[in-house]
Amino acid sequence: MIIAVDGPTASGKGTIAKALAAHFHLPHLDTGLLYRAVGHQCALSGGDPDDPEDALAACTFAPELLSDPELRSEATGGLASRVSIHPAVRQALFERQRSFATQPGGAVLDGRDIGTVIAPEAEAKLFVVASVEARAQRRFLEMQAHGRDASLEEIAADLAARDARDKGRKDAPLAAAADALLIDTSTLKREEAIAAAIAAVDALVQSA
Ligand code: DC
């Protein structure tokens, strides 16, 4: 079974995808991490993330980069969103995601275009959303917990800018597949969101 979990930054899709993978005993791929690695590599090489050639050159990042804690930073998230606009970058990362999705036994992938482009045949597609306020508040608490200084207003503005870029790009924009089930986590606690996602996947699989 392939489970596609898409949605904007800080919607809870990563937490949900990990929990679904554990519950259904499936391997999990956080596809955002691949774009983050490209964005970070591009910066390390002194490239311009808005330049398609510089961004494409960064797709040959070393595998160790995927475990660099810097990939989790807000700054790298912004770089990832910028390099992800380029069709050549999306193409370069396509095969890796596609072969993970189609491995025997199935997989859970989370990202922006899993249900629409990477695995449109997925048996279960979830689109996880939450209000900008709820997402900014979560990010704010996360950053505080890691001892990082941040302002709620700045985080909200950054999230809104990334949403606009991810939704507005021509190639594989952030969008719910027509057959995706929407989960709004704005008012849900972590465990409630996970329970809702498991119930949704069970329902989708039973009705298939
Ligand atoms: O999920 P995330 O915040 O780690 O993703 C970082 C950026 O990567 C996001 O703003 C857009 C891009 N991305 C994408 O274009 N397609 C995906 N499947 C996953 C992420």
Side-chain angles (χ1 to χ4, degrees), residues 180-201:
L181 221 135
L182 201 84
I183 297 187
D184 186 339
T185 66
S186 303
T187 59
L188 300 183
K189 294 195 182 74
R190 189 179 182 278
E191 294 312 320
E192 291 170 337
I194 291 171
I198 293 173
V201 172

Side-chain angles (χ1 to χ4, degrees), residues 77-88:
L79 290 172
S81 173
R82 285 161 68 185
V83 295
S84 72
I85 280 186
H86 308 301

Side-chain angles (χ1 to χ4, degrees), residues 20-183:
L20 287 173
H23 182 83
F24 292 103
H25 306 290
L26 292 169
H28 166 233
L29 180 66
D30 167 4
T31 64
L33 209 56
L34 302 176
Y35 289 93
R36 284 170 180 263
V38 175
H40 189 46
Q41 180 61 57
C42 188
L44 287 176
S45 320
D48 173 2
D50 301 321
D51 178 82
E53 284 178 18
D54 285 1
L56 179 62
C59 291
T60 54
F61 59 83
E64 308 83 74
L65 196 67
L66 290 171
S67 33
D68 186 332
E70 180 50 33
L71 294 198
R72 304 281 173 195
S73 74
E74 287 301 296
T76 307
L79 290 172
S81 173
R82 285 161 68 185
V83 295
S84 72
I85 280 186
H86 308 301
V89 168
R90 308 201 68 83
Q91 190 55 42
L93 298 180
F94 177 84
E95 207 41 58
R96 184 171 185 157
Q97 298 174 78
R98 179 74 194 151
S99 52
F100 192 92
T102 55
Q103 65 186 290
V108 181
L109 290 88
D110 73 86
R112 301 290 187 289
D113 60 343
I114 308 303
T116 49
V117 175
I118 303 296
E121 79 277 38
E123 286 84 353
K125 298 181 191 175
L126 303 182
F127 196 74
V128 185
V129 296
S131 65
V132 173
E133 294 74 24
R135 291 155 53 206
Q137 182 66 25
R138 277 179 207 152
R139 257 303 134 80
F140 179 69
L141 294 176
E142 239 172 66
M143 290 175 80
Q144 271 196 332
H146 287 96
R148 294 207 189 121
D149 219 14
S151 105
L152 196 57
E153 291 71 29
E154 264 174 31
I155 296 176
D158 185 52
L159 285 178
R162 272 179 60 192
D163 284 358
R165 198 186 296 118
D166 293 352
K167 285 183 194 159
R169 68 176 177 231
K170 282 213 189 78
D171 194 16
L174 166 67
D179 51 350
L181 221 135
L182 201 84
I183 297 187

